[in-house]
């Protein structure tokens, strides 16, 4: 055997087929609408697109290994020091760096609630870590059970807010309870805010940025969602200089490509694009809520750009039937929600087409 048994047990991530291949296989002549991966339906900022064009002829050079200009601009925008920032090839790479840096002993335990962002489990399994899953209470984090599970071997705690796939949030007071209950010298608390720009638009979402000042906290955010740069893979972390320094010691050089850096820098200055994206999401969310209500479909109030809903039919069946009609959403059967699906909030037209087809599938 060339690898350890825990590698043998891993299942490779199976991404969706290219849209053109799906159209060919399913015999679909028209448009395919993808509402499965929580991407920004408006696309990237026009400024970001221009920045991509402007740097295209410079890709023969290695990127700036420190993301110097992007770090300067983001530090200014957030009101933090550049020493508080680290960038990664998507938030996924930052998660890997966290495992490689802070969870190095055999007895180290990784604590998170489930269902939540699946990469915590996938990456943790790839490092052969002890994973401690706390079931959600309803569709929200069970903070009391999470705190009860903290022990001397707890090395990393993941808090996903808004939580993917439920769209629910963790109250700031509960996050502070977790930080207080954790060992400041041994346990890293990771606050994953991938959907921050959508969440902060809600009146009752509390700002969490200042929590990075705790010595054992890192906040993760991304350019993949509201900024519309998912295809370029760039995310960032905000933490104390010491945590950032440790992560930089294991970070590969040139990990964020030159195109991503320039696009993110331009996107940061396009506040109007973020406003349009958030407003489109708000309008789309209200429309989908109202249609679900009319159809008698229950759903979970979301703080993100997706909605978890209960079709009260086999989720895999609903997914396949919508797929035949050129609508791609996400079945939650694999998460244990056998009749539930997650749909990304799209444009007005995309949402209307989705609802029309969903009514046909469910005979509503």
């Amino acid at each position: 055997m060339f690898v350890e048994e825990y590698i043998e047990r891993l299942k490779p991530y199976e991404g969706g087929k290219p849209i053109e291949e799906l159209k060919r296989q399913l015999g679909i002549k028209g448009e395919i609408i993808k509402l499965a991966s929580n991407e920004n339906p408006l696309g990237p900022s026009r400024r970001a697109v221009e920045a991509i064009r402007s740097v295209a002829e410079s890709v023969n050079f290695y990127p700036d290994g420190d993301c110097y200009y992007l770090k300067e601009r983001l530090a200014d925008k957030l009101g933090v020091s550049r020493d508080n920032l680290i960038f990664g090839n998507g938030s996924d790479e930052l998660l890997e760096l966290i495992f490689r840096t802070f969870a190095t002993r055999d007895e180290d335990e990784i604590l998170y609630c489930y269902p939540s962002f699946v990469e915590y489990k996938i990456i943790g399994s790839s490092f052969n870590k002890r994973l401690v899953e706390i079931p959600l209470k309803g569709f929200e984090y069970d903070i009391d059970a999470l705190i009860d599970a903290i022990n001397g071997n707890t090395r990393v705690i993941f808090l996903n807010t808004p939580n993917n796939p439920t769209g629910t949030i963790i109250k700031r007071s509960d996050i502070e309870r977790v930080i207080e209950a954790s060992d400041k010298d041994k346990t890293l608390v990771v606050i994953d805010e991938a959907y921050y720009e959508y969440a902060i638009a809600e009146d009752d979402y509390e700002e969490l940025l200042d929590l990075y000042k705790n010595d054992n906290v890192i906040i993760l955010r991304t350019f993949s969602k509201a900024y519309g740069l998912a295809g370029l893979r760039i995310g960032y972390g905000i933490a104390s200089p010491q945590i950032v320094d440790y992560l930089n010691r294991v970070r590969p050089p040139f990990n964020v490509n030159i195109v991503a850096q320039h696009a993110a820098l331009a996107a940061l200055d396009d506040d109007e694009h973020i406003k349009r994206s958030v407003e489109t999401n708000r309008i789309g969310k209200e429309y989908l809520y109202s249609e679900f209500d009319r159809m008698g479909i229950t759903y979970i109030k979301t703080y993100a750009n997706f909605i978890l809903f209960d079709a009260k039919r086999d989720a895999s069946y609903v997914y396949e039937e919508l797929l035949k009609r050129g609508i791609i959403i996400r079945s939650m059967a694999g998460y244990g929600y056998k009749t539930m699906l997650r749909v990304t909030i799209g444009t007005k037209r995309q949402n209307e087409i989705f609802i029309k087809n969903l009514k046909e599938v469910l005979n509503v």
Side-chain angles (χ1 to χ4, degrees):
M1 183 184 295
F2 291 101
V3 298
E4 295 292 339
E5 183 180 349
Y6 74 90
I7 297 293
E8 287 278 4
R9 292 197 302 266
L10 294 176
K11 295 180 180 179
Y13 176 78
E14 294 184 10
K17 293 184 175 68
I19 286 179
E20 288 304 316
E21 180 62 16
L22 271 177
K23 290 176 71 173
R24 186 191 67 78
Q25 289 184 1
L26 299 175
I28 296 173
K29 302 299 182 182
E31 172 187 19
I32 282 188
I33 295 176
K34 184 185 177 192
L35 300 173
S37 301
N38 308 332
E39 296 142 333
N40 186 334
L42 300 186
S45 155
R46 293 302 94 191
R47 294 189 187 186
V49 173
E50 288 303 316
I52 291 170
R53 291 194 179 106
S54 70
V55 78
E57 294 185 6
S58 300
V59 295
N60 56 309
F61 295 109
Y62 286 106
D64 170 19
D66 189 46
C67 298
Y68 182 88
Y69 293 109
L70 179 56
K71 188 175 288 186
E72 288 285 319
R73 179 69 187 91
L74 185 58
D76 180 66
K77 189 177 184 71
L78 297 178
V80 302
S81 166
R82 56 178 289 111
D83 295 333
N84 295 124
L85 296 174
I86 183 169
F87 291 87
N89 184 24
S91 297
D92 290 9
E93 185 190 32
L94 294 175
L95 295 176
E96 289 195 17
L97 293 180
I98 286 168
F99 278 104
R100 290 175 56 195
T101 306
F102 297 105
T104 56
R105 305 173 305 169
D106 290 342
E107 63 269 27
D108 287 343
E109 294 183 355
I110 311 303
L111 185 57
Y112 58 93
C113 285
Y114 188 85
S116 190
F117 184 40
V118 71
E119 283 298 286
Y120 307 148
K121 185 173 185 176
I122 291 175
I123 296 175
S125 297
S126 73
F127 282 97
N128 200 26
K129 294 291 106 182
R130 295 185 179 182
L131 305 175
V132 181
E133 286 186 358
I134 306 299
L136 295 185
K137 190 175 184 179
F139 295 96
E140 299 181 350
Y141 267 51
D142 188 340
I143 297 299
D144 290 334
L146 189 75
I147 290 174
D148 287 344
I150 297 174
N151 61 54
N153 290 325
T154 304
R155 192 62 167 159
V156 181
I157 302 172
F158 287 109
L159 303 175
N160 191 205
T161 184
N163 183 49
N164 180 11
T166 62
T168 54
I169 60 172
I170 310 171
K171 293 179 181 178
R172 179 186 168 103
S173 59
D174 284 334
I175 293 176
E176 290 174 333
R177 288 174 58 206
V178 174
I179 295 171
E180 183 63 29
S182 61
D183 189 326
K184 306 297 187 296
D185 297 321
K186 293 182 178 179
T187 306
L188 181 68
V189 178
V190 182
I191 304 171
D192 189 345
E193 282 194 297
Y195 300 92
Y196 167 78
E197 289 79 13
Y198 295 112
I200 199 63
E202 300 288 340
D203 293 338
D204 57 345
Y205 189 79
E206 302 167 287
E207 180 62 67
L208 305 174
L209 178 61
D210 62 296
L211 294 180
Y212 84 89
K213 296 176 183 178
N214 291 276
D215 290 338
N216 66 325
V217 170
I218 184 168
I219 297 172
L220 301 183
R221 293 181 182 172
T222 183
F223 287 93
S224 292
K225 304 304 180 184
Y227 284 99
L229 301 179
L232 292 180
R233 312 304 300 123
I234 178 167
Y236 61 95
I238 313 152
S240 69
Q242 183 180 47
I243 289 176
V244 170
D245 176 59
Y246 287 145
L247 291 170
N248 273 324
R249 296 182 190 204
V250 299
R251 176 180 61 84
F254 314 125
N255 62 320
V256 179
N257 72 76
I258 191 171
V259 179
Q261 290 188 39
H262 279 73
L265 183 60
L268 275 177
D269 288 329
D270 196 343
D271 292 335
E272 285 304 312
H273 180 70
I274 292 296
K275 288 179 182 178
R276 285 195 304 273
S277 298
V278 171
E279 181 64 5
T280 298
N281 191 69
R282 183 191 66 79
I283 294 171
K285 178 164 53 176
E286 291 179 357
Y287 167 76
L288 291 175
Y289 282 171
S290 65
E291 289 297 321
F292 285 155
D293 287 338
R294 289 190 184 97
M295 297 167 67
I297 288 177
T298 56
Y299 54 88
I300 308 305
K301 178 184 176 182
T302 183
Y303 288 77
N305 68 334
F306 57 83
I307 301 175
L308 180 68
F309 69 95
D310 191 346
K312 295 183 173 62
R313 296 280 295 276
D314 179 74
S316 298
Y317 166 80
V318 176
Y319 164 80
E320 292 292 343
E321 288 301 309
L322 286 172
L323 186 61
K324 293 174 185 176
R325 292 163 169 78
I327 313 293
I328 309 174
I329 63 172
R330 183 65 59 86
S331 166
M332 291 291 105
Y335 287 80
Y337 297 145
K338 300 300 184 183
T339 62
M340 303 190 80
L341 300 101
R342 190 193 69 195
V343 60
T344 303
I345 300 168
T347 62
K348 180 177 184 293
R349 176 174 170 274
Q350 290 173 333
N351 294 332
E352 289 173 350
I353 293 173
F354 160 66
I355 289 295
K356 176 181 179 295
N357 282 272
L358 182 63
K359 288 179 177 178
E360 292 175 0
V361 170
L362 298 180
N363 295 317
V364 176

